[in-house]
Amino acid sequence: MNPQPSDRPVPAQFDARTADGAVLRVFAEGRGRPLLLVTGLGGTAGFWASISETLARSFRVLRFDQRGLAASTRGSATCSIETLAQDCVSVLDEAGIEQAVVLGHSTGGCIALSLAQLAPGRVEGLILSGSWLKPSRYMAAYFGARRDILGSHPQAYAATSVLCAYPPAWIEANWPIYEAALAAAPLTVQQQSVMAERIDALLAFDGTAQAAALALPVLVLGARDDMVVPAFLQEDLAAALPGCAKTMLDSGGHLFPISRPDAFTSTVADWIGRLG
């Protein structure tokens, strides 16, 4: 199916409200086929800023701050991957978009997979970027350690988010990324609580049932040197989705949308263009 863009104009910035009272700040740009971008653990629309600018040349791009982060309020619902998927429906509803391609990175891929089960009619295709089917012992140990230092050493928590997420040489050449992460460390109890519940949510997610029931075009997109979600987990995800397309970049680390923007955006645009 190739949905026609909604005739309803979408402002550059608007709010979507959820049933439990969360207010989600949404950013929209471009025209054409709707594309919803779903961020990972960090949860902010800012992650996609430069990527969205590029993709908006071809698509109508939506990105948003997830509940409790940046300009969005927390609401009262329990934070789970399913709750975060339902929030995506609220964003699409407020934008007047019936169906969109959904691109989720990292935890955002889990959210996108859950969304496809929760509201399959709203999803034209899925791009699961740097994501996984279910946590391994490696991921449980990694995110468990990060959760342990969150309250006592928030700047160390922020440092690990960068040092493990990019190739070392790329960090060295782009040091302001590291400094910005430290400046945005979750210092308050509220910020730490939101991040802790998000870690718990991603570790509790098991997408096996969602993958087995999925009947949509899917692209699994990853990087072979990812140290957060290792390539073998992304291979496992692709194996659970028979018939899916798969692209594995040779390098870029976990946050390859940032470190390899040209390869990322061209792969995404080419795959969407083949949906028909």
Side-chain angles (χ1 to χ4, degrees):
M1 182 182 297
N2 187 2
Q4 296 300 311
S6 169
D7 290 331
R8 176 184 174 185
V10 177
Q13 182 176 310
F14 61 94
D15 289 335
R17 288 168 170 78
T18 70
D20 69 297
V23 180
L24 310 175
R25 180 61 49 83
V26 188
F27 302 87
E29 54 195 310
R31 295 180 62 84
R33 190 181 226 134
L35 172 61
L36 177 65
L37 306 180
V38 188
T39 319
L41 180 61
T44 66
F47 173 80
W48 299 108
S50 61
I51 296 164
S52 179
E53 183 177 353
T54 300
L55 291 174
R57 299 170 189 165
S58 304
F59 309 108
R60 182 180 176 190
V61 181
L62 298 178
R63 54 193 172 94
F64 66 102
D65 293 329
Q66 294 174 26
R67 59 172 58 228
L69 296 164
S72 293
T73 63
R74 169 64 181 78
S76 60
T78 299
C79 183
S80 66
I81 296 300
E82 184 174 350
T83 296
L84 298 174
Q86 184 62 59
D87 289 349
C88 294
V89 175
S90 298
V91 169
L92 293 176
D93 286 346
E94 185 63 30
I97 292 174
E98 183 62 29
Q99 191 179 54
V101 176
V102 181
L103 191 173
H105 182 73
S106 193
T107 303
C110 300
I111 297 168
L113 193 56
S114 183
L115 172 62
Q117 183 185 52
L118 178 71
R122 309 300 297 272
V123 181
E124 184 189 7
L126 286 180
I127 302 174
L128 307 177
S129 170
S131 196
W132 63 92
L133 185 66
K134 57 184 179 181
S136 65
R137 291 177 296 181
Y138 177 93
M139 284 189 64
Y142 171 73
F143 283 103
R146 289 193 65 197
R147 193 189 193 287
D148 288 345
I149 65 174
L150 177 60
S152 57
H153 299 287
Q155 288 187 313
Y157 171 87
T160 62
S161 71
V162 173
L163 296 174
C164 295
Y166 297 105
W170 191 91
I171 300 172
E172 187 74 21
N174 295 272
W175 198 248
I177 292 284
Y178 178 79
E179 294 173 334
L182 291 188
L187 300 179
T188 70
V189 172
Q190 180 180 6
Q191 290 172 326
Q192 292 163 12
S193 175
V194 168
M195 295 312 299
E197 67 181 2
R198 290 174 65 81
I199 292 174
D200 290 343
L202 75 86
L203 290 177
F205 178 75
D206 183 341
T208 304
Q210 287 91 329
L214 195 63
L216 292 168
V218 184
L219 170 64
V220 172
L221 179 53
R224 298 197 182 282
D225 63 347
D226 190 334
M227 291 293 291
V228 176
V229 183
F232 73 85
L233 289 176
Q234 299 176 56
E235 296 283 1
D236 288 347
L237 174 61
L241 298 163
C244 77
K246 181 180 69 174
T247 298
M248 297 294 292
L249 303 181
D250 59 345
S251 63
H254 181 57
L255 296 184
F256 57 87
I258 305 300
S259 62
R260 299 286 306 276
D262 292 344
F264 180 81
T265 54
S266 64
T267 301
V268 167
D270 288 349
W271 184 80
I272 296 175
R274 291 195 294 272
L275 288 178

mmCIF file of all heavy atoms in Angstrom, residues 23-67:
data_model
loop_
_atom_site.group_PDB
_atom_site.id
_atom_site.type_symbol
_atom_site.label_atom_id
_atom_site.label_comp_id
_atom_site.label_asym_id
_atom_site.label_seq_id
_atom_site.Cartn_x
_atom_site.Cartn_y
_atom_site.Cartn_z
ATOM 1 N N VAL A 23 2.019 14.807 27.685
ATOM 2 C CA VAL A 23 2.002 15.735 26.561
ATOM 3 C C VAL A 23 3.326 15.566 25.826
ATOM 4 O O VAL A 23 4.398 15.804 26.398
ATOM 5 C CB VAL A 23 1.822 17.191 27.026
ATOM 6 C CG1 VAL A 23 1.813 18.137 25.824
ATOM 7 C CG2 VAL A 23 0.525 17.340 27.825
ATOM 8 N N LEU A 24 3.255 15.143 24.579
ATOM 9 C CA LEU A 24 4.439 14.811 23.799
ATOM 10 C C LEU A 24 4.731 15.913 22.791
ATOM 11 O O LEU A 24 3.868 16.268 21.987
ATOM 12 C CB LEU A 24 4.233 13.479 23.064
ATOM 13 C CG LEU A 24 3.736 12.301 23.904
ATOM 14 C CD1 LEU A 24 3.477 11.092 23.016
ATOM 15 C CD2 LEU A 24 4.729 11.963 25.011
ATOM 16 N N ARG A 25 5.927 16.448 22.837
ATOM 17 C CA ARG A 25 6.327 17.482 21.882
ATOM 18 C C ARG A 25 6.780 16.818 20.582
ATOM 19 O O ARG A 25 7.659 15.965 20.580
ATOM 20 C CB ARG A 25 7.455 18.326 22.472
ATOM 21 C CG ARG A 25 7.962 19.443 21.557
ATOM 22 C CD ARG A 25 6.889 20.469 21.212
ATOM 23 N NE ARG A 25 6.166 20.959 22.373
ATOM 24 C CZ ARG A 25 6.604 21.945 23.176
ATOM 25 N NH1 ARG A 25 7.775 22.529 22.921
ATOM 26 N NH2 ARG A 25 5.888 22.335 24.201
ATOM 27 N N VAL A 26 6.158 17.238 19.481
ATOM 28 C CA VAL A 26 6.397 16.634 18.174
ATOM 29 C C VAL A 26 6.951 17.688 17.215
ATOM 30 O O VAL A 26 6.531 18.847 17.239
ATOM 31 C CB VAL A 26 5.098 16.042 17.593
ATOM 32 C CG1 VAL A 26 5.384 15.249 16.315
ATOM 33 C CG2 VAL A 26 4.390 15.158 18.618
ATOM 34 N N PHE A 27 7.874 17.264 16.365
ATOM 35 C CA PHE A 27 8.458 18.132 15.350
ATOM 36 C C PHE A 27 8.193 17.507 13.985
ATOM 37 O O PHE A 27 8.335 16.289 13.821
ATOM 38 C CB PHE A 27 9.961 18.287 15.574
ATOM 39 C CG PHE A 27 10.296 18.850 16.924
ATOM 40 C CD1 PHE A 27 10.437 18.001 18.017
ATOM 41 C CD2 PHE A 27 10.470 20.212 17.113
ATOM 42 C CE1 PHE A 27 10.738 18.499 19.278
ATOM 43 C CE2 PHE A 27 10.770 20.715 18.372
ATOM 44 C CZ PHE A 27 10.899 19.865 19.455
ATOM 45 N N ALA A 28 7.792 18.316 13.023
ATOM 46 C CA ALA A 28 7.454 17.821 11.692
ATOM 47 C C ALA A 28 8.105 18.688 10.635
ATOM 48 O O ALA A 28 8.199 19.906 10.779
ATOM 49 C CB ALA A 28 5.939 17.818 11.501
ATOM 50 N N GLU A 29 8.574 18.028 9.576
ATOM 51 C CA GLU A 29 9.151 18.774 8.467
ATOM 52 C C GLU A 29 9.078 17.935 7.198
ATOM 53 O O GLU A 29 8.991 16.709 7.247
ATOM 54 C CB GLU A 29 10.599 19.165 8.762
ATOM 55 C CG GLU A 29 11.513 18.020 9.156
ATOM 56 C CD GLU A 29 12.805 18.518 9.781
ATOM 57 O OE1 GLU A 29 13.457 19.401 9.204
ATOM 58 O OE2 GLU A 29 13.155 18.000 10.855
ATOM 59 N N GLY A 30 9.099 18.614 6.064
ATOM 60 C CA GLY A 30 9.090 17.940 4.786
ATOM 61 C C GLY A 30 7.694 17.622 4.294
ATOM 62 O O GLY A 30 6.689 17.900 4.953
ATOM 63 N N ARG A 31 7.654 17.020 3.089
ATOM 64 C CA ARG A 31 6.400 16.629 2.476
ATOM 65 C C ARG A 31 6.594 15.258 1.838
ATOM 66 O O ARG A 31 7.703 14.841 1.562
ATOM 67 C CB ARG A 31 5.976 17.638 1.406
ATOM 68 C CG ARG A 31 5.660 19.020 1.957
ATOM 69 C CD ARG A 31 5.236 19.959 0.836
ATOM 70 N NE ARG A 31 4.023 19.503 0.177
ATOM 71 C CZ ARG A 31 2.805 19.749 0.618
ATOM 72 N NH1 ARG A 31 2.625 20.459 1.728
ATOM 73 N NH2 ARG A 31 1.749 19.312 -0.037
ATOM 74 N N GLY A 32 5.482 14.573 1.609
ATOM 75 C CA GLY A 32 5.542 13.279 0.941
ATOM 76 C C GLY A 32 5.108 12.158 1.857
ATOM 77 O O GLY A 32 4.307 12.347 2.773
ATOM 78 N N ARG A 33 5.650 10.986 1.611
ATOM 79 C CA ARG A 33 5.294 9.785 2.368
ATOM 80 C C ARG A 33 5.639 9.980 3.842
ATOM 81 O O ARG A 33 6.743 10.373 4.194
ATOM 82 C CB ARG A 33 6.089 8.621 1.805
ATOM 83 C CG ARG A 33 5.685 7.270 2.301
ATOM 84 C CD ARG A 33 6.569 6.189 1.689
ATOM 85 N NE ARG A 33 5.813 5.064 1.205
ATOM 86 C CZ ARG A 33 5.999 4.487 0.023
ATOM 87 N NH1 ARG A 33 6.920 4.945 -0.795
ATOM 88 N NH2 ARG A 33 5.270 3.454 -0.338
ATOM 89 N N PRO A 34 4.695 9.718 4.755
ATOM 90 C CA PRO A 34 4.977 9.923 6.180
ATOM 91 C C PRO A 34 6.022 8.945 6.708
ATOM 92 O O PRO A 34 5.987 7.747 6.407
ATOM 93 C CB PRO A 34 3.620 9.686 6.847
ATOM 94 C CG PRO A 34 2.616 9.899 5.765
ATOM 95 C CD PRO A 34 3.271 9.405 4.523
ATOM 96 N N LEU A 35 6.937 9.476 7.503
ATOM 97 C CA LEU A 35 8.004 8.698 8.121
ATOM 98 C C LEU A 35 8.111 9.117 9.582
ATOM 99 O O LEU A 35 8.419 10.270 9.885
ATOM 100 C CB LEU A 35 9.332 8.947 7.398
ATOM 101 C CG LEU A 35 10.594 8.349 8.020
ATOM 102 C CD1 LEU A 35 10.514 6.820 8.095
ATOM 103 C CD2 LEU A 35 11.832 8.782 7.227
ATOM 104 N N LEU A 36 7.834 8.184 10.481
ATOM 105 C CA LEU A 36 7.913 8.445 11.920
ATOM 106 C C LEU A 36 9.238 7.923 12.443
ATOM 107 O O LEU A 36 9.562 6.743 12.279
ATOM 108 C CB LEU A 36 6.754 7.755 12.646
ATOM 109 C CG LEU A 36 6.745 7.873 14.179
ATOM 110 C CD1 LEU A 36 6.544 9.320 14.610
ATOM 111 C CD2 LEU A 36 5.669 6.974 14.776
ATOM 112 N N LEU A 37 10.015 8.792 13.088
ATOM 113 C CA LEU A 37 11.306 8.436 13.662
ATOM 114 C C LEU A 37 11.138 8.230 15.169
ATOM 115 O O LEU A 37 10.619 9.109 15.861
ATOM 116 C CB LEU A 37 12.332 9.534 13.398
ATOM 117 C CG LEU A 37 12.525 9.954 11.934
ATOM 118 C CD1 LEU A 37 13.583 11.048 11.830
ATOM 119 C CD2 LEU A 37 12.894 8.760 11.060
ATOM 120 N N VAL A 38 11.595 7.092 15.680
ATOM 121 C CA VAL A 38 11.438 6.754 17.090
ATOM 122 C C VAL A 38 12.828 6.556 17.700
ATOM 123 O O VAL A 38 13.579 5.668 17.291
ATOM 124 C CB VAL A 38 10.593 5.479 17.269
ATOM 125 C CG1 VAL A 38 10.288 5.258 18.748
ATOM 126 C CG2 VAL A 38 9.295 5.576 16.478
ATOM 127 N N THR A 39 13.137 7.382 18.673
ATOM 128 C CA THR A 39 14.467 7.403 19.278
ATOM 129 C C THR A 39 14.657 6.238 20.237
ATOM 130 O O THR A 39 13.703 5.623 20.695
ATOM 131 C CB THR A 39 14.674 8.730 20.019
ATOM 132 O OG1 THR A 39 14.139 9.791 19.236
ATOM 133 C CG2 THR A 39 16.141 9.026 20.269
ATOM 134 N N GLY A 40 15.918 5.961 20.566
ATOM 135 C CA GLY A 40 16.255 4.883 21.484
ATOM 136 C C GLY A 40 16.176 5.298 22.936
ATOM 137 O O GLY A 40 15.308 6.096 23.324
ATOM 138 N N LEU A 41 17.096 4.791 23.764
ATOM 139 C CA LEU A 41 17.037 5.006 25.201
ATOM 140 C C LEU A 41 17.011 6.479 25.576
ATOM 141 O O LEU A 41 16.287 6.884 26.484
ATOM 142 C CB LEU A 41 18.222 4.312 25.876
ATOM 143 C CG LEU A 41 18.321 4.437 27.395
ATOM 144 C CD1 LEU A 41 17.099 3.840 28.082
ATOM 145 C CD2 LEU A 41 19.601 3.760 27.897
ATOM 146 N N GLY A 42 17.804 7.303 24.883
ATOM 147 C CA GLY A 42 17.843 8.739 25.197
ATOM 148 C C GLY A 42 16.512 9.424 25.003
ATOM 149 O O GLY A 42 16.191 10.390 25.697
ATOM 150 N N GLY A 43 15.729 8.977 24.025
ATOM 151 C CA GLY A 43 14.337 9.358 23.893
ATOM 152 C C GLY A 43 14.009 10.738 23.382
ATOM 153 O O GLY A 43 12.839 11.117 23.374
ATOM 154 N N THR A 44 14.975 11.517 22.926
ATOM 155 C CA THR A 44 14.665 12.883 22.516
ATOM 156 C C THR A 44 14.617 13.026 21.002
ATOM 157 O O THR A 44 15.327 12.332 20.267
ATOM 158 C CB THR A 44 15.695 13.895 23.060
ATOM 159 O OG1 THR A 44 16.961 13.651 22.453
ATOM 160 C CG2 THR A 44 15.810 13.767 24.575
ATOM 161 N N ALA A 45 13.804 13.963 20.547
ATOM 162 C CA ALA A 45 13.716 14.247 19.119
ATOM 163 C C ALA A 45 15.022 14.794 18.575
ATOM 164 O O ALA A 45 15.330 14.638 17.393
ATOM 165 C CB ALA A 45 12.590 15.257 18.865
ATOM 166 N N GLY A 46 15.800 15.434 19.440
ATOM 167 C CA GLY A 46 17.051 16.035 19.007
ATOM 168 C C GLY A 46 18.027 15.050 18.409
ATOM 169 O O GLY A 46 18.887 15.441 17.611
ATOM 170 N N PHE A 47 17.930 13.779 18.782
ATOM 171 C CA PHE A 47 18.822 12.761 18.222
ATOM 172 C C PHE A 47 18.754 12.753 16.702
ATOM 173 O O PHE A 47 19.749 12.505 16.011
ATOM 174 C CB PHE A 47 18.433 11.382 18.766
ATOM 175 C CG PHE A 47 19.178 10.235 18.134
ATOM 176 C CD1 PHE A 47 20.463 9.928 18.534
ATOM 177 C CD2 PHE A 47 18.585 9.460 17.149
ATOM 178 C CE1 PHE A 47 21.161 8.875 17.949
ATOM 179 C CE2 PHE A 47 19.269 8.408 16.554
ATOM 180 C CZ PHE A 47 20.562 8.106 16.965
ATOM 181 N N TRP A 48 17.552 13.039 16.160
ATOM 182 C CA TRP A 48 17.323 12.921 14.727
ATOM 183 C C TRP A 48 17.502 14.230 13.975
ATOM 184 O O TRP A 48 17.254 14.274 12.760
ATOM 185 C CB TRP A 48 15.896 12.440 14.476
ATOM 186 C CG TRP A 48 15.542 11.110 15.039
ATOM 187 C CD1 TRP A 48 14.726 10.853 16.106
ATOM 188 C CD2 TRP A 48 15.945 9.821 14.552
ATOM 189 N NE1 TRP A 48 14.601 9.499 16.310
ATOM 190 C CE2 TRP A 48 15.342 8.847 15.371
ATOM 191 C CE3 TRP A 48 16.771 9.412 13.487
ATOM 192 C CZ2 TRP A 48 15.533 7.480 15.161
ATOM 193 C CZ3 TRP A 48 16.957 8.053 13.283
ATOM 194 C CH2 TRP A 48 16.342 7.102 14.109
ATOM 195 N N ALA A 49 17.907 15.298 14.627
ATOM 196 C CA ALA A 49 17.806 16.631 14.018
ATOM 197 C C ALA A 49 18.436 16.709 12.626
ATOM 198 O O ALA A 49 17.777 17.097 11.651
ATOM 199 C CB ALA A 49 18.421 17.672 14.943
ATOM 200 N N SER A 50 19.709 16.359 12.499
ATOM 201 C CA SER A 50 20.360 16.491 11.188
ATOM 202 C C SER A 50 19.872 15.424 10.223
ATOM 203 O O SER A 50 19.746 15.670 9.016
ATOM 204 C CB SER A 50 21.889 16.411 11.344
ATOM 205 O OG SER A 50 22.274 15.160 11.888
ATOM 206 N N ILE A 51 19.561 14.236 10.732
ATOM 207 C CA ILE A 51 19.058 13.158 9.886
ATOM 208 C C ILE A 51 17.692 13.531 9.317
ATOM 209 O O ILE A 51 17.401 13.321 8.138
ATOM 210 C CB ILE A 51 18.974 11.858 10.698
ATOM 211 C CG1 ILE A 51 20.379 11.435 11.132
ATOM 212 C CG2 ILE A 51 18.285 10.751 9.918
ATOM 213 C CD1 ILE A 51 20.404 10.412 12.225
ATOM 214 N N SER A 52 16.846 14.099 10.179
ATOM 215 C CA SER A 52 15.519 14.509 9.744
ATOM 216 C C SER A 52 15.594 15.562 8.650
ATOM 217 O O SER A 52 14.815 15.540 7.690
ATOM 218 C CB SER A 52 14.728 15.045 10.939
ATOM 219 O OG SER A 52 13.451 15.471 10.558
ATOM 220 N N GLU A 53 16.535 16.475 8.783
ATOM 221 C CA GLU A 53 16.685 17.521 7.775
ATOM 222 C C GLU A 53 16.966 16.911 6.403
ATOM 223 O O GLU A 53 16.434 17.367 5.377
ATOM 224 C CB GLU A 53 17.809 18.468 8.174
ATOM 225 C CG GLU A 53 18.006 19.629 7.221
ATOM 226 C CD GLU A 53 19.090 20.581 7.686
ATOM 227 O OE1 GLU A 53 19.603 20.409 8.809
ATOM 228 O OE2 GLU A 53 19.431 21.497 6.909
ATOM 229 N N THR A 54 17.802 15.878 6.383
ATOM 230 C CA THR A 54 18.117 15.206 5.119
ATOM 231 C C THR A 54 16.913 14.419 4.597
ATOM 232 O O THR A 54 16.540 14.527 3.427
ATOM 233 C CB THR A 54 19.316 14.263 5.302
ATOM 234 O OG1 THR A 54 20.455 15.014 5.721
ATOM 235 C CG2 THR A 54 19.641 13.540 4.006
ATOM 236 N N LEU A 55 16.294 13.615 5.455
ATOM 237 C CA LEU A 55 15.178 12.772 5.023
ATOM 238 C C LEU A 55 13.955 13.596 4.615
ATOM 239 O O LEU A 55 13.149 13.154 3.797
ATOM 240 C CB LEU A 55 14.813 11.786 6.134
ATOM 241 C CG LEU A 55 15.851 10.699 6.408
ATOM 242 C CD1 LEU A 55 15.452 9.871 7.633
ATOM 243 C CD2 LEU A 55 16.033 9.789 5.191
ATOM 244 N N ALA A 56 13.834 14.802 5.202
ATOM 245 C CA ALA A 56 12.680 15.648 4.888
ATOM 246 C C ALA A 56 12.701 16.162 3.449
ATOM 247 O O ALA A 56 11.709 16.710 2.967
ATOM 248 C CB ALA A 56 12.613 16.822 5.862
ATOM 249 N N ARG A 57 13.814 15.982 2.756
ATOM 250 C CA ARG A 57 13.844 16.334 1.331
ATOM 251 C C ARG A 57 12.967 15.397 0.513
ATOM 252 O O ARG A 57 12.542 15.744 -0.599
ATOM 253 C CB ARG A 57 15.282 16.277 0.818
ATOM 254 C CG ARG A 57 16.239 17.251 1.510
ATOM 255 C CD ARG A 57 17.675 16.958 1.131
ATOM 256 N NE ARG A 57 18.622 17.730 1.946
ATOM 257 C CZ ARG A 57 19.925 17.469 2.033
ATOM 258 N NH1 ARG A 57 20.431 16.463 1.327
ATOM 259 N NH2 ARG A 57 20.707 18.192 2.800
ATOM 260 N N SER A 58 12.705 14.212 1.073
ATOM 261 C CA SER A 58 11.937 13.208 0.342
ATOM 262 C C SER A 58 10.666 12.768 1.046
ATOM 263 O O SER A 58 9.768 12.225 0.398
ATOM 264 C CB SER A 58 12.809 11.962 0.106
ATOM 265 O OG SER A 58 14.005 12.278 -0.563
ATOM 266 N N PHE A 59 10.589 12.995 2.371
ATOM 267 C CA PHE A 59 9.490 12.452 3.152
ATOM 268 C C PHE A 59 8.926 13.503 4.102
ATOM 269 O O PHE A 59 9.562 14.515 4.374
ATOM 270 C CB PHE A 59 9.958 11.237 3.972
ATOM 271 C CG PHE A 59 10.688 10.207 3.166
ATOM 272 C CD1 PHE A 59 12.062 10.039 3.296
ATOM 273 C CD2 PHE A 59 10.007 9.414 2.263
ATOM 274 C CE1 PHE A 59 12.743 9.104 2.544
ATOM 275 C CE2 PHE A 59 10.671 8.461 1.503
ATOM 276 C CZ PHE A 59 12.047 8.308 1.638
ATOM 277 N N ARG A 60 7.738 13.207 4.577
ATOM 278 C CA ARG A 60 7.134 14.012 5.641
ATOM 279 C C ARG A 60 7.547 13.372 6.967
ATOM 280 O O ARG A 60 7.042 12.320 7.360
ATOM 281 C CB ARG A 60 5.621 14.011 5.493
ATOM 282 C CG ARG A 60 4.884 14.844 6.508
ATOM 283 C CD ARG A 60 3.402 14.723 6.228
ATOM 284 N NE ARG A 60 2.609 15.426 7.212
ATOM 285 C CZ ARG A 60 1.291 15.312 7.302
ATOM 286 N NH1 ARG A 60 0.642 14.503 6.481
ATOM 287 N NH2 ARG A 60 0.629 15.980 8.213
ATOM 288 N N VAL A 61 8.502 13.972 7.640
ATOM 289 C CA VAL A 61 9.174 13.350 8.775
ATOM 290 C C VAL A 61 8.608 13.885 10.092
ATOM 291 O O VAL A 61 8.501 15.097 10.302
ATOM 292 C CB VAL A 61 10.692 13.610 8.726
ATOM 293 C CG1 VAL A 61 11.388 12.933 9.906
ATOM 294 C CG2 VAL A 61 11.276 13.103 7.408
ATOM 295 N N LEU A 62 8.275 12.956 10.982
ATOM 296 C CA LEU A 62 7.862 13.282 12.342
ATOM 297 C C LEU A 62 8.870 12.697 13.319
ATOM 298 O O LEU A 62 9.304 11.556 13.158
ATOM 299 C CB LEU A 62 6.485 12.701 12.656
ATOM 300 C CG LEU A 62 5.281 13.161 11.858
ATOM 301 C CD1 LEU A 62 4.042 12.418 12.320
ATOM 302 C CD2 LEU A 62 5.078 14.657 12.001
ATOM 303 N N ARG A 63 9.230 13.467 14.345
ATOM 304 C CA ARG A 63 10.072 12.984 15.431
ATOM 305 C C ARG A 63 9.541 13.626 16.706
ATOM 306 O O ARG A 63 8.954 14.709 16.659
ATOM 307 C CB ARG A 63 11.539 13.329 15.193
ATOM 308 C CG ARG A 63 11.804 14.805 14.926
ATOM 309 C CD ARG A 63 13.206 15.070 14.378
ATOM 310 N NE ARG A 63 13.380 16.435 13.961
ATOM 311 C CZ ARG A 63 13.880 17.409 14.713
ATOM 312 N NH1 ARG A 63 14.279 17.148 15.969
ATOM 313 N NH2 ARG A 63 13.998 18.639 14.268
ATOM 314 N N PHE A 64 9.751 12.979 17.841
ATOM 315 C CA PHE A 64 9.153 13.514 19.055
ATOM 316 C C PHE A 64 9.972 13.161 20.284
ATOM 317 O O PHE A 64 10.737 12.197 20.300
ATOM 318 C CB PHE A 64 7.708 13.013 19.214
ATOM 319 C CG PHE A 64 7.576 11.522 19.436
ATOM 320 C CD1 PHE A 64 7.330 11.009 20.704
ATOM 321 C CD2 PHE A 64 7.689 10.632 18.378
ATOM 322 C CE1 PHE A 64 7.193 9.646 20.912
ATOM 323 C CE2 PHE A 64 7.551 9.268 18.569
ATOM 324 C CZ PHE A 64 7.309 8.768 19.847
ATOM 325 N N ASP A 65 9.821 14.018 21.313
ATOM 326 C CA ASP A 65 10.398 13.734 22.629
ATOM 327 C C ASP A 65 9.492 12.727 23.329
ATOM 328 O O ASP A 65 8.290 12.967 23.482
ATOM 329 C CB ASP A 65 10.481 15.015 23.469
ATOM 330 C CG ASP A 65 11.470 16.029 22.919
ATOM 331 O OD1 ASP A 65 12.475 15.612 22.317
ATOM 332 O OD2 ASP A 65 11.220 17.237 23.089
ATOM 333 N N GLN A 66 10.058 11.613 23.756
ATOM 334 C CA GLN A 66 9.244 10.605 24.425
ATOM 335 C C GLN A 66 8.890 11.045 25.845
ATOM 336 O O GLN A 66 9.492 11.969 26.399
ATOM 337 C CB GLN A 66 9.980 9.266 24.403
ATOM 338 C CG GLN A 66 10.115 8.722 22.985
ATOM 339 C CD GLN A 66 10.959 7.469 22.888
ATOM 340 O OE1 GLN A 66 11.085 6.704 23.840
ATOM 341 N NE2 GLN A 66 11.547 7.246 21.721
ATOM 342 N N ARG A 67 7.908 10.395 26.418
ATOM 343 C CA ARG A 67 7.328 10.836 27.684
ATOM 344 C C ARG A 67 8.382 10.994 28.782
ATOM 345 O O ARG A 67 9.239 10.139 28.991
ATOM 346 C CB ARG A 67 6.220 9.893 28.128
ATOM 347 C CG ARG A 67 6.618 8.456 28.328
ATOM 348 C CD ARG A 67 5.502 7.635 28.950
ATOM 349 N NE ARG A 67 4.278 7.642 28.172
ATOM 350 C CZ ARG A 67 3.072 7.874 28.696
ATOM 351 N NH1 ARG A 67 2.930 8.088 30.002
ATOM 352 N NH2 ARG A 67 1.999 7.857 27.931
#
